[in-house]
Amino acid sequence: MSAPTGFSRLQIGLHWIVAVLIIGAWFTHDGMGRALRQRIAEGMTGMEGATPHTILGGLAFAFVLVRIIVRLRRGAPEPHGSALVQSAAKWGHVVLYALMALVPALGAATWYGGIESLGEVHEFLGQALMLVIIGHVVMALWHQIVKKDGTLTRMVKPSE
């Protein structure tokens, strides 16, 4: 399968939906340890005691899974730049996608499975995810503003 030259409307929409959900989950994570302890103490199950953080995280996880499926089926444009830059971009995206799936999966195991010990791993990897996202944004802006190679434009203007 040859790589497409740009992203589809679906890929662009999923990208921005996931971005908003992850940012929303990030800004609503305060107090989750207390909420988890209360949930466990009160024997809550399922959606009982759901918080904005758990709802946004669950939605992010669902949309990330759809994103992964769409990317595997449709592909993605090749990154611009030297072989080293292309390799860094590919590995950066591997790490980004892995964290986008792993962080909410661990959060769900913590919240719905009552596995408190995973909460710290979830929180640590959530911090790592935010650092990777910041790097992703910085590189997208660098490509757009400094390199002027149209990398960011591909995520706002569909190729279909």
Side-chain angles (χ1 to χ4, degrees):
M1 168 173 82
S2 65
T5 58
F7 293 100
S8 69
R9 288 188 195 311
L10 177 59
Q11 286 173 303
I12 292 169
L14 288 168
H15 174 275
W16 294 110
I17 289 168
V18 168
V20 167
L21 291 170
I22 288 173
I23 291 167
W26 170 259
F27 280 110
T28 58
H29 78 278
D30 282 345
M32 286 306 298
R34 185 175 47 258
L36 176 64
R37 287 187 292 281
Q38 178 181 354
R39 178 180 171 81
I40 292 170
E42 295 179 12
M44 292 184 212
T45 61
M47 290 299 292
E48 279 183 283
T51 67
H53 180 75
T54 58
I55 293 166
L56 292 168
L59 288 170
F61 184 62
F63 280 100
V64 164
L65 293 180
V66 173
R67 252 186 101 172
I68 291 169
I69 291 166
V70 171
R71 186 178 181 108
L72 289 172
R73 294 194 73 206
R74 185 180 189 280
E78 290 295 325
H80 295 137
S82 68
L84 179 62
V85 169
Q86 289 180 5
S87 182
K90 286 180 183 180
W91 280 106
H93 280 93
V94 167
V95 170
L96 180 61
Y97 274 86
L99 287 172
M100 286 190 307
L102 189 57
V103 169
L106 288 171
T110 302
W111 186 256
Y112 297 108
I115 307 171
E116 280 188 85
S117 59
L118 288 180
E120 289 182 24
V121 178
H122 166 73
E123 187 173 357
F124 175 79
L125 291 179
Q127 302 281 350
L129 173 59
M130 290 310 294
L131 289 175
V132 171
I133 288 171
I134 290 167
H136 179 72
V137 169
V138 166
M139 292 312 299
L141 292 172
W142 180 75
H143 273 278
Q144 190 67 24
I145 296 166
V146 176
K147 297 292 282 183
K148 299 184 188 313
D149 61 12
T151 296
L152 183 60
T153 303
R154 295 189 306 189
M155 195 43 77
V156 295
K157 184 179 176 195
S159 66
E160 344 175 282

